[in-house]
Amino acid sequence: MNYPVAHTSAVDYSIHLIGTTAQAVEISIHSPSQYICANCEKILPDWKNQNSFWVVIFLQQSKYEIVESCLEIEAEKQRLREKFMKFGIDVAFILRDRGYLTDLIDPRTGYPLFSRPGKFPHDDTAAVKALLGYPVIKNKCRLLIHPRWGMAVYPSILLSAAHPFIIERVIKNMAPLHGWKEKS
């Protein structure tokens, strides 16, 4: 069985953005976790021949802590999902147009948007825990605890075979078109 190559890099591929509503967005690029490497074919069967790819973590600051289900929180989750999906689709199409296998995981379902779904969904929260070390608590679903935002965080994942430098450049070029600017 071919597993993706784990990459290590001393370069920091992290991007800090701020939206028009002053809500922060943190984006970081990582080697896939051991779990993703070991289960790639079950999560992304179309990627089984892809020997190298990167995990791009999108963390959006929420207006509310995402701890319970009510109309305001569900509307906020939908707004953040839509924001990620619009942005992620634009980034994915640019990278795919350049010949790089790229997909985003639908935060609601855990399944890839452009690839054939696997036997089981991707777990964005588990990926953030594995790659960033953020704590997770179990409620009705598993919730991240961000070091500054607490539980007011909405995680999303994009995967790409493009080099992190290329992914970072595309993200930074697309961010202003989606109402985000780099935090100074």
Side-chain angles (χ1 to χ4, degrees):
M1 186 178 293
N2 289 336
Y3 294 113
V5 176
H7 298 279
T8 57
S9 175
V11 178
D12 178 22
Y13 290 106
S14 61
I15 304 162
H16 299 274
L17 305 171
I18 192 86
T20 53
T21 60
Q23 287 175 269
V25 179
E26 294 179 353
I27 302 170
S28 54
I29 304 169
H30 306 269
S31 301
S33 68
Q34 289 180 344
Y35 177 82
I36 294 172
C37 291
N39 293 288
C40 185
E41 198 169 324
K42 293 176 186 168
I43 298 169
L44 297 157
D46 292 347
W47 290 51
K48 68 181 174 185
N49 296 322
Q50 184 61 44
N51 292 325
S52 176
F53 65 91
W54 298 85
V55 177
V56 183
I57 296 175
F58 288 77
L59 299 176
Q60 294 181 78
Q61 185 179 18
S62 172
K63 293 178 187 175
Y64 313 104
E65 288 196 337
I66 303 177
V67 292
E68 58 186 58
S69 182
C70 66
L71 289 176
E72 292 86 9
I73 292 173
E74 292 306 313
E76 176 71 353
K77 286 170 36 179
Q78 183 61 26
R79 185 186 72 78
L80 295 171
R81 176 181 175 266
E82 287 175 9
K83 190 90 170 145
F84 165 72
M85 296 293 274
K86 288 176 186 175
F87 183 75
I89 287 170
D90 284 351
V91 169
F93 280 149
I94 289 169
L95 293 170
R96 290 167 70 93
D97 286 349
R98 293 182 182 175
Y100 299 107
L101 183 61
T102 302
D103 209 332
L104 54 148
I105 304 297
D106 183 339
R108 184 186 304 146
T109 66
Y111 290 106
L113 192 61
F114 303 119
S115 305
R116 186 170 37 105
K119 292 179 183 175
F120 51 86
H122 182 270
D123 184 337
D124 295 351
T125 302
V128 173
K129 179 178 172 42
L131 297 172
L132 294 177
Y134 290 176
V136 173
I137 63 166
K138 182 120 172 110
N139 196 3
K140 289 181 182 176
C141 59
R142 295 167 6 118
L143 305 169
L144 284 173
I145 302 175
H146 189 278
R148 287 181 310 287
W149 310 334
M151 290 179 282
V153 60
Y154 189 82
S156 307
I157 301 290
L158 181 138
L159 306 164
S160 183
H163 186 277
F165 175 76
I166 295 168
I167 298 169
E168 180 183 39
R169 194 170 60 213
V170 170
I171 288 170
K172 285 182 176 182
N173 287 337
M174 290 303 303
L177 301 175
H178 289 266
W180 291 331
K181 63 181 181 177
E182 283 195 70
K183 227 174 169 180
S184 44

